[in-house]
Amino acid sequence: MAINLSNTQKAVVDYLGDNLLVIAGAGSGKTRVLTERIKRLILILKKGEKVLAITFSNKAAEELKGRLVETLGEQKLNECTYIGTIHKFCLDIVTSRSSAIGLPDELHICDSYNDRLQIFKEAIESIPQIKAKYIGTDTKENQKKIKKLLDNLSNAKRNLKFAGDYANKPLIQKLFEEYDNMLIQQGVIDFDDILRYSYQILTERESVARLYRKIYKYICIDEAQDLNKAQYEIIKALAGNEIGVTMVGDPNQSIYGFNGSTSDYIERLFLDDFKAEKIELNENYRSSKKIIEAAKKIESSFEVYGVCKYEGEFEIFNFDDEKKEAEFIVEKIKRLIKNGHPDVENNDITLEQCAIIARNRYIFKYIEELLKANKMEYTLKASAKGSFSSESDFVKAFELGIRLLVNSKDKIHLVELSKLVSSKKKYKTFEELKQDKDLSEQWVLLLNILRSAWAILLENDNEIKFHIAIKKLKNYMNNSQLNLDDHELILISEDLKAWEEHWNCYVKNSSAGERSLANFVRTVSLGSTNISEDKGIVLTTVHMSKGLQYDVVFIMGLNEGVFPDYRAVYADDNSKDNKQLIEERHNMFVAITRSKRLCYLTYPLLKNTNWGVKVQKPSRYILELSGIK
């Protein structure tokens, strides 16, 4: 089926120069253009060559694959492209080439902040000078200092720093070295290491970089406004002077500064370093007139043409308190679903077409209570939650066991599992724990069941029978001897269902030859199997709403200090650096432009806090937008 493209969109798709920057404003058909450009590049590939497409999220990767597979078919798509996040691509580099820089094979991801914090504390404990300098008698103050030190180290890693870069600060250098060594001793690396070690491999082993350049002839980067230093430098190291790079992004939607991201990489550095051509997509194919008018008030640089035929709605409401605000939103959604709206296609609105956006997840407290009371289905998207998150003790033990099966060096999760089974013993190995008969009668019985499931996973590494292990666990749940509480059984059932979904997603997105239990665990750690369909109304923070769109959007809790965030306001008032406040404005722009047709802004005049009822000021954005009728 032929795709209708504007002249500007066609110029992007057909561009045959080396490097291209596409500034794609909200609603400009960015995903469609990126899809068509990849299809165009595939036509000029030679046998064995591929297009590397880097997306910002796993969900975006799935959407892009879905669009391409419709015309290319699955076999052609797999032969000619690699589509995924930069962490997924770089993890493949590290796990396959780790020995090139002296790292051990079979490294895994330390995906929990608390696990990293525990290892970091052990590193501090092992260095008396560090302990004397930073650790005092105040436990709470110590915790703050340790977290700040770890955050500083993570920031250094995101800027591609190694311990050797701190020779002029010997204590910090020693701590850096000790933390890295302790991670490796446990057979793990942290998220920042995935990019850092990939960069080291590509820059220190030219033969490896040349190999990748033989395979990947074009790189396409989505959401390029959110690149940080490590990501940008990896792309530079990979591309060299041989690979054509297309970056697509919108500076007005740069909202990940807290991760070191900045739109400078596309607005200045990419143009200079790659001598890239620049094309701007200013057409808007999505948003109603009112949405565009509001977006322009927030970001004056937002320029669009090709006006949408729908007028749309953009309205602001205030309420006595947060409960009244939540009640209004729920009732408004009910009316829209019942009556529809002429500016929405077919005059029909469903729960899935509605989203409620807030600056942080705590704003959703009352709206969640009301949605539950009204039996209205909803999905909460508040954080990029990892996939090792079972609620039941039984399945939690199962997943901890999986980690220990693939990584015998993992002491953190061995200790965690021993605590879970209520043992005070210090086990040296996972096998020792599995065979312990001194545990409670219940845990001896449960571990007996789990041992049989773990054994199935180890039967044949060339054919992982994960679904059979899950089926065995399900069957055991009907065992009356277990005497489990009904609520616990429900949790177990839901947890096992979630693991089935992880496995099915992994199988769908991998070939039989590359599957292994270790690879599955790494894929789960990356969140690559955590792709589920949103059901009902979507409640989402601004950062999690990136790339999504809805006919009806409510932006709630719009008080000064909430949106914009108080930390950004404070930083602006107390320094000359207004970067945080600029990013807050980008956040508001992103929130508004998630709406295709109808957008409602709400805020309470009073808020119940632990310190009593407090008067709330409307957000500065409310004041700026109040003129839109």
Side-chain angles (χ1 to χ4, degrees):
M1 185 178 70
I3 301 291
N4 293 322
L5 299 170
S6 71
N7 290 335
T8 316
Q9 289 178 325
K10 199 169 185 306
V12 172
V13 171
D14 294 336
Y15 180 77
L16 293 177
D18 290 332
N19 303 303
L20 176 64
L21 172 62
V22 182
I23 301 296
S28 62
K30 176 200 71 171
T31 307
R32 176 205 281 186
V33 171
L34 186 59
T35 304
E36 294 304 309
R37 174 140 182 82
I38 292 171
K39 283 159 64 175
R40 177 74 176 84
L41 292 173
I42 286 172
L43 293 176
I44 53 179
L45 292 176
K46 295 175 184 175
K47 188 175 181 180
E49 295 177 344
K50 290 188 175 188
V51 175
L52 172 62
I54 298 295
T55 61
F56 187 75
S57 68
N58 295 308
K59 192 173 182 68
E62 285 301 302
E63 183 185 351
L64 188 56
K65 286 178 187 176
R67 292 190 182 211
L68 286 165
V69 82
E70 287 178 7
T71 51
L72 297 176
E74 201 160 317
Q75 184 177 343
K76 181 80 170 175
L77 180 69
N78 293 333
E79 286 175 358
C80 297
T81 67
Y82 181 109
I83 301 172
T85 64
I86 195 162
H87 281 87
K88 184 175 185 292
F89 178 72
C90 287
L91 183 61
D92 288 348
I93 295 176
V94 173
T95 53
S96 63
R97 307 284 169 183
S98 56
S99 60
I101 54 171
L103 293 175
D105 296 330
E106 287 297 319
L107 287 168
H108 296 274
I109 304 169
C110 189
D111 55 343
S112 160
Y113 178 79
N114 286 334
D115 290 346
R116 294 196 295 276
L117 191 62
Q118 178 60 36
I119 294 171
F120 191 65
K121 285 178 181 177
E122 290 175 13
I124 289 173
E125 286 287 333
S126 71
I127 307 171
Q129 304 98 308
I130 291 279
K131 191 176 176 183
K133 183 172 181 179
Y134 292 102
I135 306 301
T137 55
D138 188 327
T139 306
K140 283 189 176 179
E141 196 59 36
N142 289 343
Q143 191 76 349
K144 284 181 185 177
K145 287 179 183 177
I146 292 169
K147 285 184 176 181
K148 187 174 181 182
L149 276 172
L150 179 57
D151 290 344
N152 288 342
L153 191 147
S154 292
N155 187 54
K157 288 187 175 187
R158 284 195 292 270
N159 283 287
L160 300 175
K161 298 290 186 184
F162 289 81
D165 295 312
Y166 292 89
N168 61 335
K169 296 179 178 178
L171 276 183
I172 296 299
Q173 182 182 29
K174 179 69 176 170
L175 180 59
F176 205 145
E177 284 175 350
E178 192 64 19
Y179 175 62
D180 277 352
N181 289 338
M182 282 189 169
L183 286 170
I184 296 299
Q185 284 167 16
Q186 299 248 9
V188 296
I189 55 176
D190 63 27
F191 275 110
D192 299 315
D193 288 331
I194 296 172
L195 302 186
R196 194 172 62 121
Y197 289 137
S198 295
Y199 176 76
Q200 188 180 1
I201 291 167
L202 291 171
T203 54
E204 293 183 7
R205 297 292 179 265
E206 180 59 29
S207 59
V208 175
R210 281 200 303 270
L211 181 64
Y212 280 96
R213 288 181 201 130
K214 281 183 181 179
I215 299 169
Y216 299 104
K217 290 302 175 184
Y218 300 96
I219 303 175
C220 295
I221 313 290
D222 191 16
E223 302 285 7
Q225 76 278 352
D226 286 317
L227 290 172
N228 63 23
K229 181 179 176 64
Q231 293 162 351
Y232 180 75
E233 292 297 336
I234 285 166
I235 292 160
K236 267 182 72 177
L238 181 61
N241 297 316
E242 300 165 38
I243 297 179
V245 178
T246 298
M247 289 198 182
V248 182
D250 177 12
N252 287 337
Q253 296 187 57
S254 177
I255 60 173
Y256 281 85
F258 57 86
N259 278 340
S261 302
T262 170
S263 59
D264 282 353
Y265 290 111
I266 59 169
E267 291 187 286
R268 183 172 56 84
L269 293 168
F270 179 59
L271 291 171
D272 292 343
D273 294 339
F274 287 78
K275 304 295 182 282
E277 185 78 16
K278 180 179 176 181
I279 299 177
E280 295 192 29
L281 298 178
N282 293 318
E283 306 100 325
N284 188 287
Y285 297 94
R286 179 173 78 200
S287 306
S288 65
K289 295 174 185 177
K290 292 294 184 190
I291 303 302
I292 289 173
E293 186 183 350
K296 281 183 176 179
K297 285 212 169 197
I298 294 298
E299 294 284 3
S300 57
S301 61
F302 179 47
E303 295 180 4
V304 295
Y305 56 86
V307 179
C308 176
K309 66 179 180 179
Y310 297 105
E311 188 68 23
E313 285 184 5
F314 186 89
E315 297 180 324
I316 299 171
F317 302 91
N318 64 57
F319 304 91
D320 291 342
D321 54 38
E322 293 168 286
K323 287 186 178 179
K324 293 280 196 307
E325 179 186 24
E327 287 168 2
F328 165 79
I329 292 171
V330 169
E331 290 306 314
K332 181 73 173 177
I333 290 173
K334 284 182 179 179
R335 287 198 300 273
L336 286 168
I337 288 171
K338 181 180 178 181
N339 303 322
H341 195 284
D343 284 349
V344 174
E345 281 84 351
N346 302 318
N347 198 31
D348 184 38
I349 296 173
T350 64
L351 290 177
E352 285 72 20
Q353 289 167 268
C354 302
I356 304 169
I357 299 176
R359 180 60 181 83
N360 64 61
R361 61 190 174 93
Y362 303 109
I363 304 298
F364 296 129
K365 178 185 174 185
Y366 293 110
I367 198 81
E368 280 198 83
E369 289 175 2
L370 271 178
L371 290 172
K372 286 175 185 174
N374 283 271
K375 293 183 169 54
M376 296 169 74
E377 193 168 25
Y378 71 91
T379 298
L380 177 63
K381 298 165 76 74
S383 64
K385 188 180 180 183
S387 299
F388 285 93
S389 53
S390 294
E391 298 286 345
S392 64
D393 286 349
F394 179 70
V395 183
K396 183 70 178 172
F398 173 65
E399 67 182 39
L400 285 168
I402 294 172
R403 287 180 182 270
L404 294 165
L405 288 176
V406 300
N407 183 10
S408 59
K409 299 175 183 176
D410 185 350
K411 301 305 178 189
I412 288 280
H413 292 116
L414 182 59
V415 170
E416 189 176 343
L417 182 56
S418 67
K419 288 179 180 176
L420 184 67
V421 300
S422 304
S423 173
K424 293 181 180 179
K425 292 183 182 179
K426 292 185 177 180
Y427 302 104
K428 291 181 179 179
T429 66
F430 179 35
E431 190 61 34
E432 191 181 332
L433 184 153
K434 283 193 292 181
Q435 302 300 334
D436 190 350
K437 302 300 182 187
D438 294 331
L439 300 173
S440 68
E441 185 179 341
Q442 181 80 332
W443 268 115
V444 169
L445 188 58
L446 290 174
L447 278 174
N448 188 46
I449 295 166
L450 289 168
R451 273 201 307 273
S452 64
W454 290 325
I456 290 169
L457 297 178
L458 294 177
E459 278 178 7
N460 182 0
D461 200 47
N462 294 322
E463 186 187 354
I464 310 301
K465 297 177 180 178
F466 195 84
H467 59 295
I468 295 176
I470 293 292
K471 187 176 180 181
K472 198 172 188 73
L473 293 179
K474 281 184 171 181
N475 291 339
Y476 274 121
M477 286 308 96
N478 299 320
N479 187 338
S480 59
Q481 285 184 307
L482 294 176
N483 196 27
L484 293 171
D485 181 85
D486 285 346
H487 297 292
E488 177 74 0
L489 282 171
I490 291 169
L491 287 180
I492 291 171
S493 176
E494 290 300 312
D495 285 341
L496 291 176
K497 183 180 174 184
W499 274 101
E500 271 187 313
E501 290 171 359
H502 290 316
W503 177 253
N504 291 338
C505 185
Y506 174 66
V507 169
K508 178 185 171 186
N509 290 291
S510 61
S511 60
E514 68 184 18
R515 284 180 209 137
S516 69
L517 189 59
N519 190 34
F520 175 50
V521 169
R522 283 189 287 264
T523 304
V524 172
S525 294
L526 276 180
S528 299
T529 59
N530 207 19
I531 302 162
S532 56
E533 290 297 316
D534 298 337
K535 295 178 180 178
I537 302 162
V538 170
L539 275 58
T540 175
T541 59
V542 181
H543 289 91
M544 292 300 292
S545 74
K546 197 80 174 290
L548 305 177
Q549 53 187 5
Y550 305 90
D551 287 301
V552 183
V553 168
F554 295 84
I555 308 173
M556 69 182 299
L558 279 163
N559 297 111
E560 191 72 3
V562 176
F563 203 166
D565 185 83
Y566 69 94
R567 288 161 291 196
V569 175
Y570 180 81
D572 186 61
D573 289 343
N574 290 276
S575 74
K576 294 179 181 178
D577 183 7
N578 65 345
K579 284 183 181 178
Q580 289 186 45
L581 213 46
I582 290 171
E583 191 162 298
E584 285 299 295
R585 186 166 290 276
H586 291 339
N587 277 321
M588 189 64 192
F589 177 82
V590 167
I592 290 171
T593 55
R594 297 314 89 201
S595 172
K596 295 196 285 185
R597 301 288 182 265
L598 317 176
C599 186
Y600 306 104
L601 274 52
T602 65
Y603 65 99
L605 300 171
L606 299 172
K607 187 176 283 191
N608 238 325
T609 73
N610 292 334
W611 308 274
V613 177
K614 299 289 184 181
V615 175
Q616 300 294 300
K617 292 181 181 178
S619 163
R620 65 188 67 193
Y621 308 132
I622 290 287
L623 303 179
E624 292 174 26
L625 293 163
S626 294
I628 297 176
K629 299 293 183 185

